């Protein structure tokens, strides 16, 4: 039995699928309740309103089970269109390398925001001192970006040209 959230996520798709079958049935003589799509939607609409206000509302699972039974085969078919009602995970944007940044890319004196760099092995070349910075000693990478901890580094005062590259261990 799907969860309440999955049932509610699939109900609108089930409604459309039922409406399509009703339209085809009237052409090809299928026996289907001609108001099934309206019944699914009106039931879904009321339950969804209550669910949005209070997901733990008394007997919510009973109401959702009723909706699930009402959608029947269309609720099951809706899985194919909605991925089971699950929220798709956010896939990180593929970061291309090298990344060329200047002092203008920093949001503070030492912080460069880029969430795509977390959990990637990177090296940073600082043109002004003509060498690579030492990881975890002169820069750190967090889930939100890169912080330069090199002594004297201040992107609000100085001009910098940095190159971030990916390296493989």
């Amino acid at each position: 039995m799907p969860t309440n959230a999955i049932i509610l996520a699939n109900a609108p798709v089930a409604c459309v699928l039922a409406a399509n079958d009703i339209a085809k049935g009237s052409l090809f003589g299928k026996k289907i309740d001609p108001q099934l799509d309206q019944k699914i939607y009106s039931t879904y609409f009321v339950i969804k309103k209550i669910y949005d206000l209070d997901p733990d509302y008394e007997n919510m699972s009973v109401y959702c089970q009723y909706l699930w039974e009402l959608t029947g085969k269309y609720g099951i078919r809706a899985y194919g269109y909605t991925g089971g009602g699950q929220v798709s995970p956010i896939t990180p944007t593929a970061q291309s390398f090298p990344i060329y940044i200047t002092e203008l890319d920093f949001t503070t004196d030492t912080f460069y925001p880029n969430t795509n760099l977390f959990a990637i092995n990177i090296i940073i070349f600082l043109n002004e001192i003509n060498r690579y910075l030492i990881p975890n000693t002169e820069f750190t990478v967090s889930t939100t970006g890169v912080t330069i901890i090199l002594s004297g580094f201040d992107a609000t005062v100085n001009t910098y040209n940095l190159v971030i590259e990916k390296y493989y261990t």
Side-chain angles (χ1 to χ4, degrees):
M1 176 64 129
T3 65
N4 294 346
I6 291 173
I7 292 169
L8 290 169
N10 287 321
V13 176
C15 181
V16 171
L17 293 172
N20 287 343
D21 267 5
I22 291 167
K24 290 177 188 175
S26 64
L27 292 174
F28 301 110
K30 281 185 170 181
K31 298 201 187 238
I32 185 172
D33 180 354
Q35 295 181 335
L36 181 60
D37 60 333
Q38 295 170 15
K39 290 176 183 177
I40 292 171
Y41 185 76
S42 60
T43 305
Y44 158 77
F45 184 80
V46 172
I47 295 172
K48 180 71 168 137
K49 285 278 189 186
I50 296 168
Y51 183 84
D52 288 344
L53 293 171
D54 182 11
D56 298 322
Y57 187 77
E58 184 179 349
N59 294 323
M60 179 56 68
S61 62
V62 174
Y63 306 137
C64 288
Q65 287 172 11
Y66 174 75
L67 178 60
W68 176 248
E69 292 298 322
L70 187 62
T71 61
K73 67 180 180 181
Y74 304 109
I76 295 170
R77 279 195 215 161
Y79 274 143
Y81 294 99
T82 63
Q86 303 297 324
V87 176
S88 300
I90 298 171
T91 53
T93 306
Q95 179 67 59
S96 57
F97 291 93
I99 303 169
Y100 299 96
I101 61 174
T102 67
E103 72 282 352
L104 301 175
D105 297 303
F106 286 78
T107 56
T108 68
D109 57 337
T110 60
F111 182 71
Y112 166 66
N114 187 334
T115 57
N116 297 326
L117 297 177
F118 184 68
I120 296 177
N121 292 324
I122 62 168
I123 53 175
I124 301 175
F125 187 83
L126 179 57
N127 284 338
E128 284 64 34
I129 59 173
N130 201 25
R131 70 171 175 84
Y132 287 99
L133 300 179
I134 302 167
N136 299 319
T137 302
E138 296 175 326
F139 75 92
T140 60
V141 181
S142 67
T143 57
T144 55
V146 175
T147 302
I148 306 294
I149 51 178
L150 176 68
S151 178
F153 187 91
D154 187 344
T156 61
V157 176
N158 300 315
T159 302
Y160 293 109
N161 292 288
L162 299 99
V163 180
I164 301 175
E165 298 178 47
K166 182 177 181 178
Y167 77 93
Y168 302 91
T169 55

